[in-house]
Amino acid sequence: MNKFKNDVITLLELESGKTIHQADVLELYHAVSKAAMKQVKSKWEAPDAGKKACYFSAEFLTGRLIYSNLQNLGLLNQLSELFHENNIDVAVFEEIEDAALGNGGLGRLAACFLDSAATQGIALNGYGIRYRYGLFRQYFENGFQKETVDDWQQFGDPWSQCREEDKVEVRFKNQTVYAVPYDTPVIGYGANTVNTLRLWQAEPVVPFHFQLFNDQKFELAVREKDDAEAISSVLYPNDTTDKGKKLRLKQQYFFTSASLQDLIRTYKKRYGNDFTHFSGEYAIQLNDTHPVVSIPEFIRLLVSGEGVSFGKALKIARQTFAYTNHTIMAEALEKWDAKLFRSVLPNVYRYVVMINKALLKELSGMGITTEKAQKPYLIIDENSVIHMARLAVFATHSVNGVAEIHTEILKNSVLKEWYQIYPKRFNNKTNGVTQRRWMALSNMELSGFLTDRIGSGWVTDLEKLKNLERYKDDDNVIRQFAQIKQIKKQQLSDYIEKHDGIRLNPEFIFDVQVKRLHEYKRQLLNAFSILDLYFGLKDGRIQHFNPTAFLFGGKAAPGYLRAKGIIKFIHEIANKINNDPDVSHLMKVVFVSNYNVSYAEKIMPAADISEQISTAGTEASGTSNMKLMLNGAVTLGTLDGANVEIIRQAGEENNYIFGARVEELEKIADSYNPRTIYEQNERVRAAVDTLVNGMFDDGGTGMFRELYHSLLDGASWHKPDHYFVLYDFLSYCDTRLRAISDYSDRLAFSRKGFLNTAGAGKFSSDRAVREYAIQIWGM
Ligand code: NBG
């Protein structure tokens, strides 16, 4: 018997005294994880020579680790065998909670990058926060989103190891805490390289004040502990108040300062106080603005701790750090009120001031001398606001966007002044996804099909998918491809029934929009268009229609009321349509609850149509578009984010593109009046009016009326229909209907999906990480 199986059995017996037949999920989980960890050990502890890249990120959305780790270790088959011999379903581990230490695409990208780097032998380690609770769990009550705590550690965390000996102190103005690292191995496919995800947990320096307790000051006695633990308690604390904002800033400083102290400590063991080699040893990638406070902190640590001059420290920082921008939404380019910042991090603030001075000097040297000309650059502006994105552009050597169109928008609009002075600093790194999770693991049926046709090379070289093209006219091959889609649709239907209690007919077209809820992503446009189809079927305007299931999944930020209104609206539509006997054989609307990585793994393989309908110019890249394309869905989308490149790879004729382009929207933006469209077009009116005509019930919250006004009247801080929902409405509805009609010719439709899979090679995170390593990190 082989070693892994043996270990699982022995561990079970030792720890629970039970045999494999008697063990419950928790016991199995721990025994299997431990046995796998044993195999990782030697590779993990091998010292890595050469330059290391560090991915600083507030989010790592790793999802469930057990299957992907076993897969990468080559142990998944052995597990299946072992379980099979003992009549245990391998799917038992689906009970294990996802590690949802992230929100959406940005956090999932970080996780894909770690997988890709380890698989390719690139020394990339992740640094972040070990949140006690992940992103909330979502459920629906009468169609309203409700949130509860996500206790991702309730089954334990057998994949991480606490490294108490590496803890460091992090100091705020009125508080000092320990940052204690928990390391999770990042196992590359084939297990040749094992990197590390190091997540810091905040702990009190003095956990319990005995004297205070003795004096009967019970609350004070544990106060230090509570305050420390608050720092790593939740992802994205509510930051509507100053208190919440401070906590958020503390979190950012907490994990970046700890990570930097850790790197510097390791560095000094080798080079002592000579920091000239630092950027040769480490590259630090800042994932959005959340970790940007690490730049002044790094300079502070070198200057005040190690006696390096400010000028030299800034130079080293610039050589070491690089910044990735993930959004052009103004609210996400973080800014801090200087007073608030100073009240938490007075010592770091001093360095922000010095960096700002260095900026002014550099600008003057370039002939940018007037106040007006300097204004768009100011790191601390005239209103004492600190601009983290500006700080990042100034003090790094590389600024990248995450899709071609997004990088162009950064260069020509969001950061255009900066592009003028540092044109060489800007570069594009189109996102990618790991095919190990998003194909090999989640779609074994299609994986087998691919390997039968083109060999298994695609698992580590996704460009190999191009070789599928030679089968594009082979109807038998296309039919097999279609059959696999059918199997995945059946599996998803079963899962949705189990998870959400809703029955879906797998013979329907599966039209899918899964992503965070946000106005710019336009779930509302999707909802309106479903109504347009519904009305068209009812009044006979639409005569031929292929039955379609409209699937939604995604969470709204707890404080984002308008997004929550959209969720409720979609539920109301679902209720109406699913209970209308005139159409229920033709349409079904489903909003799955608690969409997360594991749910995504079920949905991606089963989709026929991928909804990527953001307003042109707003979605930095998107990554669900890539996962869906890879699994053979056609894209129904705007020319936005990575859709542009997807179309280029897979052919416009194999996808469904609609709506205004960026240039058009720029031209009309100032004069745009959605009311004209509303008044002139009956179909638009019919859909929009359902928000206020009593057809749907928002439970007296006023949410629907608020949505209606946001479209037609706007608010002081928002133009009417800011995201051009009405502008793109007809073009969307007609294109969507065309896609649905095209499904009548199943073979032709499947061929389009097939060609999307064949064209997905570019969108591997292997390619993306390689580009970072070579072009930014100098590895
Ligand atoms: C998101 C963008 C997506 C993009 C991911 C990963 C943030 C701030 N940005 O379009 O909205 O795909 O980042 O780059 O979450």
Side-chain angles (χ1 to χ4, degrees), residues 105-106 109 288 326-327 402 431 516 520-521 619-623:
L106 173 145
L109 184 77
D288 229 39
H326 291 270
T327 180
V402 290
N431 284 164
R516 287 177 297 134
Y520 83 79
K521 296 178 186 281
E619 186 72 273
S621 161
T623 42

Side-chain angles (χ1 to χ4, degrees), residues 612-660:
Q612 307 298 337
I613 61 177
S614 51
T615 315
T618 62
E619 186 72 273
S621 161
T623 42
S624 75
N625 48 4
M626 299 171 183
K627 295 160 197 162
L628 288 159
M629 171 206 203
L630 174 63
N631 282 279
V634 300
T635 297
L636 169 56
T638 47
L639 285 175
D640 195 23
N643 300 352
V644 177
E645 291 157 73
I646 286 177
I647 298 315
R648 195 186 303 145
Q649 297 299 316
E652 183 151 359
E653 67 285 4
N654 298 314
N655 291 287
Y656 296 87
I657 298 305
F658 72 92

Side-chain angles (χ1 to χ4, degrees), residues 165-411:
E165 67 279 12
D166 282 351
K167 75 177 175 200
V168 296
E169 257 181 41
V170 177
R171 290 169 197 229
F172 307 95
K173 185 175 182 196
N174 298 315
Q175 186 184 15
T176 300
V177 301
Y178 281 136
V180 181
Y182 283 73
D183 288 356
T184 301
V186 181
I187 305 159
Y189 185 81
N192 287 318
T193 300
V194 180
N195 290 329
T196 300
L197 170 58
R198 172 158 275 199
L199 300 178
W200 300 93
Q201 177 167 302
E203 291 180 11
V205 175
V206 181
F208 187 76
H209 287 268
F210 192 79
Q211 195 57 51
L212 285 171
F213 193 82
N214 218 18
D215 296 343
Q216 305 196 24
K217 294 176 180 154
F218 303 123
E219 273 164 27
L220 275 184
V222 292
R223 170 93 149 268
E224 181 173 340
K225 180 168 186 282
D226 291 349
D227 287 352
E229 287 173 355
I231 293 175
S232 54
S233 63
V234 290
L235 171 74
Y236 292 114
N238 178 348
D239 64 354
T240 46
T241 64
D242 269 6
K243 237 176 143 180
K245 288 197 179 80
K246 279 185 192 169
L247 182 56
R248 183 107 175 233
L249 179 59
K250 276 190 185 173
Q251 290 189 324
Q252 301 184 350
Y253 180 70
F254 166 74
F255 90 88
T256 54
S257 175
S259 307
L260 291 170
Q261 290 184 53
D262 192 26
L263 297 183
I264 290 172
R265 177 173 60 193
T266 313
Y267 175 85
K268 281 173 70 180
K269 282 189 197 144
R270 180 136 179 232
Y271 294 99
N273 271 36
D274 172 10
F275 282 89
T276 49
H277 306 286
F278 194 85
S279 65
E281 281 288 304
Y282 295 109
I284 300 176
Q285 193 68 36
L286 302 175
N287 200 26
D288 229 39
T289 51
H290 319 130
V292 169
V293 67
S294 58
I295 296 173
E297 170 65 357
F298 177 75
I299 296 175
R300 188 189 73 83
L301 288 168
L302 290 200
V303 173
S304 76
E306 311 293 340
V308 180
S309 76
F310 174 81
K312 273 198 187 135
L314 174 60
K315 196 169 154 208
I316 299 169
R318 276 182 151 170
Q319 290 162 345
T320 306
F321 287 95
Y323 161 60
T324 305
N325 173 290
H326 291 270
T327 180
I328 63 158
M329 295 290 132
E331 70 266 21
L333 298 175
E334 288 175 299
K335 301 180 190 72
W336 296 105
D337 175 55
K339 208 170 133 205
L340 183 142
F341 192 100
R342 237 172 34 222
S343 75
V344 181
L345 305 169
N347 297 332
V348 185
Y349 180 71
R350 250 174 254 135
Y351 287 86
V352 179
V353 173
M354 284 159 79
I355 296 171
N356 194 45
K357 278 199 188 126
L359 160 74
L360 293 177
K361 199 168 145 206
E362 197 159 306
L363 290 176
S364 298
M366 295 170 173
I368 300 172
T369 49
T370 64
E371 238 176 68
K372 188 168 165 238
Q374 289 182 345
K375 200 175 136 104
Y377 297 97
L378 298 179
I379 293 170
I380 307 176
D381 73 12
E382 64 283 9
N383 301 315
S384 297
V385 172
I386 308 174
H387 294 251
M388 300 311 268
R390 295 179 187 173
L391 173 54
V393 184
F394 175 65
T396 61
H397 64 93
S398 164
V399 176
N400 74 279
V402 290
E404 286 171 15
I405 186 177
H406 168 58
T407 302
E408 288 309 306
I409 293 172
L410 292 179
K411 294 201 288 198

Side-chain angles (χ1 to χ4, degrees), residues 597-608:
V597 173
S598 289
Y599 218 136
E601 287 170 25
K602 311 266 183 209
I603 294 175
M604 302 301 170
D608 295 302

Side-chain angles (χ1 to χ4, degrees), residues 16-53:
S16 64
K18 293 180 184 169
T19 69
I20 188 158
H21 302 283
Q22 303 162 315
D24 63 23
V25 180
L26 186 65
E27 287 155 350
L28 289 171
Y29 179 53
H30 281 267
V32 170
S33 309
K34 256 198 191 156
M37 279 290 257
K38 266 178 89 173
Q39 310 229 343
V40 171
K41 206 161 185 281
S42 61
K43 274 276 164 23
W44 197 16
E45 283 163 7
D48 35 18
K51 189 166 182 176
K52 287 163 283 296

